[in-house]
């Protein structure tokens, strides 16, 4: 029997070599740098990206950079320090950046409601048309380079642009007018998929209950030129997520309850012209 002592050793070596060559060996995860917001509005996009890629056979680790001002994170993206952003789709961005042309929220980002100072909801109660809203003279506030600026301009709606960190708009809404060193404004337009998360962080503000502004746009994923190898991988993964129902399940998980709270079906719908 002694002459067969070598068989277990040879068997072990064979198994080790077989495992090393196996296609089932653990795949090195993709490392993707993204942004995040403390309000929780980025959680859906993180989860969609991670689960869609993983389901398609591309395990991923997200490196999340939180609460970076928009101008800064766009600059980081253009310099290859952020790999993937979700931004409102526009012809200019599509020409400028790698992208995946799949709407991420079924158009929810183009449905807008107003965040307003406490006690001012009565100012909007009698408005039933876009022309009546114009005549009310209410002024919106936006961060620099937002697509909403183009939309409000195309629809002859007054607005102001605040440079720097757009999150200061929340605090400025609570200050009495006139506000020091800032132009006057009355409301902050937010997507219906965002505002329920944001009001939980800023509970002293209010959600205007009567109006729903609608324009034809959604978020899509944009990919940095330095990470353009991700474009076909993310596109394939998102299409698989659509076909498998994963995208719909995540949409329902993140948005069904917040949307129900906003009573969208009972609001006056104000349809806006959408610039290219």
């Amino acid at each position: 029997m002694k002459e067969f002592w070598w068989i277990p050793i040879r068997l072990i070596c064979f198994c080790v070599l077989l495992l090393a060559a196996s296609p089932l060996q653990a795949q090195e995860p993709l490392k993707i740098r993204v942004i995040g917001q403390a309000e929780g509005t980025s959680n859906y996009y993180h989860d969609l990206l991670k689960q869609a890629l993983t389901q398609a056979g591309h395990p991923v680790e997200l490196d999340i950079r939180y609460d970076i001002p928009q101008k800064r994170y766009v600059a980081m993206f253009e310099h290859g320090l952020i790999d993937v952003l979700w931004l409102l789709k526009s012809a200019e961005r599509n020409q400028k950046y790698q992208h995946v042309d799949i709407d991420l929220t079924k158009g929810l980002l183009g449905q807008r409601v107003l965040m307003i100072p406490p006690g001012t909801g009565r100012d909007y109660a009698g408005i039933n048309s876009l022309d009546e809203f114009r005549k009310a003279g209410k002024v919106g506030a936006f961060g620099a380079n937002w697509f909403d600026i183009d939309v409000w301009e195309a629809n002859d709606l007054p607005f102001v642009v605040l440079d720097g960190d757009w999150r200061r708009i929340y605090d400025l809404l609570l200050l009495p007018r006139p506000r020091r060193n800032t132009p006057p404004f009355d409301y902050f337009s937010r997507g219906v998929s965002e505002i329920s998360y944001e009001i939980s962080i800023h509970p002293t503000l209010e959600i205007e209950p009567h109006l729903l502004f609608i324009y034809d746009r959604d978020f899509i994923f944009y990919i940095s030129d330095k990470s353009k190898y991700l474009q076909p991988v993310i596109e394939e993964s998102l299409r698989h997520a659509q076909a498998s129902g994963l995208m719909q399940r995540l949409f329902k998980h993140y948005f069904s309850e917040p949307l129900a709270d906003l009573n969208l079906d009972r609001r006056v719908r104000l349809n806006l012209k959408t610039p290219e």
Side-chain angles (χ1 to χ4, degrees):
M1 296 291 292
K2 289 183 180 179
E3 60 270 14
F4 297 107
W5 66 270
W6 48 269
I7 292 179
I9 296 176
R10 293 183 104 186
L11 185 60
I12 290 169
C13 291
F14 175 76
C15 290
V16 169
L17 289 171
L18 186 63
L19 285 172
S22 171
L24 299 178
Q25 62 183 308
Q27 183 178 341
E28 186 72 19
L30 294 167
K31 291 181 171 58
I32 300 179
R33 296 164 296 179
V34 297
I35 61 165
Q37 277 90 34
E39 293 87 356
T41 53
S42 54
N43 293 350
Y44 166 72
Y45 306 99
H46 295 163
D47 216 358
L48 175 60
L49 192 59
K50 192 166 186 176
Q51 289 201 42
L53 285 164
T54 300
Q55 180 181 260
H58 309 287
V60 61
E61 292 178 4
L62 297 184
D63 179 2
I64 304 172
R65 318 292 175 88
Y66 279 98
D67 295 329
I68 302 171
Q70 182 170 352
K71 285 180 72 174
R72 184 179 166 202
Y73 70 61
V74 169
M76 292 173 69
F77 173 76
E78 290 178 343
H79 286 86
L81 301 175
I82 296 289
D83 299 305
V84 177
L85 284 180
W86 45 97
L87 298 169
L88 276 173
K89 176 170 60 176
S90 72
E92 180 184 359
R93 284 173 176 157
N94 286 359
Q95 187 173 19
K96 191 174 182 181
Y97 305 133
Q98 300 280 330
H99 61 281
V100 175
D101 199 10
I102 296 175
D103 289 351
L104 298 179
T105 73
K106 299 183 179 180
L108 286 187
L109 260 293
Q111 298 184 41
R112 318 292 288 184
V113 291
L114 308 183
M115 191 175 285
I116 57 176
T120 62
R122 61 186 178 276
D123 296 347
Y124 303 86
I127 295 173
N128 292 292
S129 69
L130 193 57
D131 192 50
E132 289 178 358
F133 183 74
R134 288 190 190 99
K135 289 176 180 176
K138 296 297 183 182
V139 178
F142 301 118
N145 302 317
W146 286 17
F147 183 72
D148 301 67
I149 295 170
D150 298 330
V151 176
W152 256 241
E153 195 168 53
N155 289 274
D156 298 319
L157 299 175
F159 63 89
V160 299
V161 177
L162 301 184
D163 212 349
D165 188 354
W166 61 266
R167 290 176 185 83
R168 67 194 181 103
I169 296 174
Y170 299 122
D171 295 329
L172 290 171
L173 273 175
L174 290 170
L175 297 179
R177 295 176 63 175
R179 304 175 184 94
R180 176 183 256 184
N181 298 327
T182 61
F185 61 90
D186 303 287
Y187 65 84
F188 189 17
S189 160
R190 307 304 296 142
V192 296
S193 60
E194 303 169 318
I195 197 165
S196 294
Y197 292 96
E198 295 173 355
I199 203 71
S200 67
I201 303 296
H202 306 279
T204 49
L205 293 170
E206 293 180 4
I207 298 175
E208 192 283 318
H210 179 57
L211 302 174
L212 176 64
F213 297 81
I214 300 171
Y215 60 77
D216 181 22
R217 265 311 172 272
D218 203 344
F219 275 159
I220 62 173
F221 282 131
Y222 287 93
I223 295 113
S224 166
D225 280 345
K226 292 189 178 179
S227 304
K228 59 186 177 183
Y229 66 92
L230 290 171
Q231 195 279 340
V233 177
I234 292 175
E235 180 165 358
E236 174 203 20
S237 300
L238 285 182
R239 296 203 182 281
H240 191 266
Q242 286 179 316
S244 70
L246 171 63
M247 199 167 181
Q248 173 63 21
R249 290 193 296 274
L250 289 174
F251 182 91
K252 185 176 180 180
H253 172 74
Y254 281 97
F255 300 133
S256 59
E257 186 175 334
L259 292 180
D261 292 341
L262 292 173
N263 298 312
L264 299 182
D265 291 340
R266 290 185 236 163
R267 290 172 174 264
V268 173
R269 299 167 69 89
L270 303 181
N271 293 299
L272 304 174
K273 291 185 294 185
T274 307
E276 290 299 322

